[in-house]
Amino acid sequence: MIVAGNPYYNVGKEIFKIYPDAVFCSRNSGYNLTTKDNKLKFAEQSLKHDIVLIVSALKDFHIIDLYDTVYNHCIEKNHKPHIITIGSTIDRLSNGNGRLYATEKRALRDHTINLNLNSHRNGGPKTTLLSFGMLENMKKKFPNNKCISLELVGYYIKWIVEQPRHININEINIDPLQDQFWHTE
């Protein structure tokens, strides 16, 4: 497994707990994944792995460009890994706040669907988009919101990875319910 993410931070840290032998690529390990050269370097490294996990919180559409670079490099080299990308359920919202984040996540979702359909028809890599709502690392910013634990994110990624080879889970959206009713036993 190769991971675009930091093994010491947020989702990457949870992945490291589950997959300590995974190769992690982030600024921490000399990969600035916002540069074209490092995206290509990551894509080249991806050819050595059956699982490519993109968990980096890259903005300014760099996550889509990284994903596209990896996918197309795999197509060119006839490599068929399972590419799993972490999105956000904010991609379903338009709240008029003027932030680009929701638009980026919507574009990631749309592009994942596009590449997924291409793979189904043309035999490319498996692709999965795993989108989460509010994660616990945002609790300080949104103290009144119910959040999903990073440990649970790791669990779902592991669950996706362990699915049978001939099955592809195209997309999953997971949100924490905000109604207190669901948080009592």
Side-chain angles (χ1 to χ4, degrees):
M1 175 184 292
I2 188 167
V3 181
N6 188 330
Y8 307 111
Y9 190 68
N10 291 331
V11 175
K13 186 175 181 178
E14 291 304 317
I15 298 307
F16 181 71
K17 289 178 187 175
I18 300 167
Y19 300 105
D21 294 333
V23 174
F24 285 83
C25 300
S26 67
R27 282 189 179 99
N28 190 52
S29 61
Y31 281 80
N32 177 351
L33 294 172
T34 64
T35 69
K36 184 175 183 174
D37 288 344
N38 279 306
K39 288 173 189 168
L40 286 170
K41 185 177 166 184
F42 181 79
E44 188 66 32
Q45 291 296 316
S46 295
L47 298 175
K48 300 175 185 175
H49 301 274
D50 292 330
I51 305 291
V52 179
L53 182 56
I54 301 175
V55 301
S56 288
L58 301 172
K59 56 184 184 174
D60 299 326
F61 295 92
H62 286 291
I63 193 167
I64 298 162
D65 191 39
L66 174 63
Y67 179 35
D68 194 63
T69 301
V70 168
Y71 183 90
N72 286 316
H73 205 67
C74 288
I75 292 288
E76 289 171 17
K77 303 295 184 180
N78 196 31
H79 181 56
K80 298 180 183 184
H82 186 177
I83 304 171
I84 303 166
T85 308
I86 303 301
S88 172
T89 60
I90 200 166
D91 67 2
R92 300 172 293 162
L93 303 176
S94 293
N95 59 8
N97 67 6
R99 291 181 56 227
L100 196 55
Y101 184 74
T103 303
E104 288 179 300
K105 294 303 182 181
R106 191 172 311 113
L108 176 62
R109 181 177 184 260
D110 289 346
H111 198 53
T112 301
I113 291 167
N114 182 33
L115 295 180
N116 190 286
L117 291 172
N118 183 61
S119 287
H120 283 280
R121 292 184 184 124
N122 301 314
K126 284 175 40 170
T127 64
T128 298
L129 178 66
L130 187 52
S131 297
F132 294 95
M134 186 77 59
L135 298 179
E136 70 184 355
N137 59 328
M138 298 300 292
K139 191 67 174 170
K140 286 182 183 177
K141 191 172 182 179
F142 301 97
N144 297 324
N145 285 36
K146 305 293 184 208
C147 299
I148 298 171
S149 73
L150 294 172
E151 183 179 1
L152 192 58
V153 172
Y155 165 82
Y156 280 112
I157 291 169
K158 184 176 187 288
W159 182 80
I160 294 290
V161 167
E162 292 177 346
Q163 294 307 300
R165 182 175 168 83
H166 67 284
I167 297 296
N168 188 55
I169 296 173
N170 305 317
E171 177 181 4
I172 295 179
N173 298 304
I174 301 170
D175 282 307
L177 294 171
Q178 297 303 312
D179 184 341
Q180 187 60 38
F181 170 82
W182 299 103
H183 294 272
T184 58
E185 299 211 20

